[in-house]
Amino acid sequence: MIRDQVSLAVHDHGGEGTPLLLLHGAGRTLADWAAVAPLLARHHRVLAVDLRGHGLSPDGTWSVPGVLGDIEAVLARHGIPEALPVGHSLGGMLAVRYALAHPDRTPAAVNLDGYGWGRPDRYVGLDPTDVEEWLSRMRELASQTSGRILPRGGLADLLAEQRAMSGRLGIPYELLEAGVRRSLHERADGRLELRPGREHALEMQAEIHSLDLLGLFRRMDRPLLLGRALRPAPPVPGIDRFDELMAARATGLAQDLAELAERHSEVTVAGIDGTHAMLLENPRAVADVILEFAARLPGTRRPSL
């Protein structure tokens, strides 16, 4: 697992009590947790990491086993191998995989809105053939935009995009700016590139597409929290039928998660008042869901207040 291990960049938020390890989404960084982590650290020891190829962490061939080895090494180095993995988006998928790989020491897992695009037949009310064609276009678009290299003066334009997003979603601009700046890497030619770079981004996307997420959730024999965004994703300019497809996807996902929770007593499903950008939009709601779940786990330790 650790032959291709990368030494991850870590932000230690301190705190006492049962340790939590915070994992961000694809193309994001540990800066996404900046508003949530201090709320968690009132009750828990909290670490956040930049996954390999992201933020300030080194590059490495992107494979799930390699990333799990990185995470294991971080927890061993900090003396908290029993930490509860808490992830958003891709980080949530990894949290579940990590818990499954370490049943002897990992008490549970938290996945916040880490469900990928889902199966075409779970877009309720839509023709699966049409959905598959649309998803193919979306995957191709993601491939084309991987490892984005900014043109001269492109940073100012990128930050202007973030400021506009701040206004639309009500996210503090400084949180968006911090994430962008942490993601930037200066190339040998002096141009700025958004990490992960194209090669590793494509490897990462292939790994994500290969995951059978519902299958992973069903295999969990310990408590699993599945958080789901209750607000629709904002429209994306230039992408046809985005709102329609996302509404159909949300309906199918809600049905799948409700069925999963009904059949598996270890699974808890929680709606969170936010879009997929919930960590930045509504950190209090995210923290409350995590804290409530963690408080119910056997052996949870809380600091004396």
Side-chain angles (χ1 to χ4, degrees):
M1 177 181 291
I2 60 175
R3 286 195 299 271
D4 185 35
Q5 184 181 304
V6 164
S7 182
L8 301 182
V10 176
H11 185 140
D12 189 341
H13 290 272
E16 300 177 7
T18 297
L20 309 179
L21 180 71
L22 307 182
L23 306 170
H24 61 78
R28 306 297 303 178
T29 75
L30 61 76
D32 278 2
W33 291 98
V36 178
L39 303 176
L40 300 176
R42 296 174 185 174
H43 306 280
H44 294 273
R45 171 77 189 283
V46 178
L47 297 183
V49 300
D50 284 332
L51 298 173
R52 62 168 60 192
H54 292 71
L56 303 184
S57 288
D59 284 323
T61 300
W62 224 98
S63 69
V64 169
V67 172
L68 299 186
D70 299 341
I71 293 170
E72 183 178 17
V74 165
L75 297 182
R77 188 164 69 247
H78 286 82
I80 49 173
E82 77 285 6
L84 169 64
V86 177
H88 171 249
S89 195
L90 169 62
M93 304 175 198
L94 293 172
V96 178
R97 280 291 304 266
Y98 189 83
L100 288 170
H102 299 85
D104 57 331
R105 68 182 80 150
T106 306
V110 176
N111 176 353
L112 302 174
D113 223 39
Y115 308 115
W117 290 109
R119 299 198 328 247
D121 62 333
R122 300 307 297 150
Y123 283 64
V124 174
L126 300 181
D127 184 333
T129 302
D130 291 343
V131 175
E132 178 55 45
E133 184 178 319
W134 186 85
L135 290 175
S136 294
R137 293 199 302 270
M138 293 299 293
R139 287 191 285 266
E140 178 60 27
L141 178 62
S143 173
Q144 292 172 0
T145 57
S146 296
R148 180 178 173 187
I149 299 173
L150 302 185
R152 302 294 180 185
L155 177 57
D157 293 338
L158 181 57
L159 293 178
E161 293 174 11
Q162 301 303 301
R163 190 170 292 282
M165 185 184 301
S166 169
R168 288 196 308 271
L169 300 180
I171 298 172
Y173 170 72
E174 58 270 19
L175 293 179
L176 295 173
E177 181 183 5
V180 165
R181 291 190 180 278
R182 192 172 182 93
S183 292
L184 289 173
H185 164 71
E186 185 173 355
R187 292 159 42 103
D189 61 9
R191 291 189 293 173
L192 295 176
E193 177 183 46
L194 282 171
R195 304 187 75 213
R198 180 171 176 77
E199 176 186 355
H200 297 307
L202 295 178
E203 293 170 346
M204 179 178 65
Q205 290 167 21
E207 289 282 293
I208 294 171
H209 296 327
S210 72
L211 293 174
D212 172 15
L213 294 172
L214 287 176
L216 292 178
F217 303 156
R218 294 188 188 102
R219 285 170 52 198
M220 273 292 289
D221 58 356
R222 280 148 289 145
L224 170 62
L225 173 62
L226 298 174
R228 182 174 71 86
L230 295 180
R231 296 186 208 163
V236 178
I239 298 182
D240 296 339
R241 301 182 66 193
F242 185 82
D243 292 353
E244 177 189 6
L245 271 291
M246 290 301 94
R249 166 66 175 143
T251 300
L253 177 63
Q255 293 175 359
D256 287 342
L257 296 185
E259 179 182 340
L260 187 70
E262 183 177 349
R263 295 187 178 185
H264 298 268
S265 60
E266 296 286 9
V267 174
T268 299
V269 177
I272 297 175
D273 182 22
T275 71
H276 188 65
M278 57 180 64
L279 303 184
L280 304 173
E281 292 171 328
N282 200 345
R284 178 76 266 176
V286 171
D288 284 347
V289 165
I290 297 169
L291 291 171
E292 180 181 351
F293 174 75
R296 299 198 304 267
L297 298 177
T300 293
R301 307 188 309 277
R302 290 289 188 91
S304 301
L305 300 178

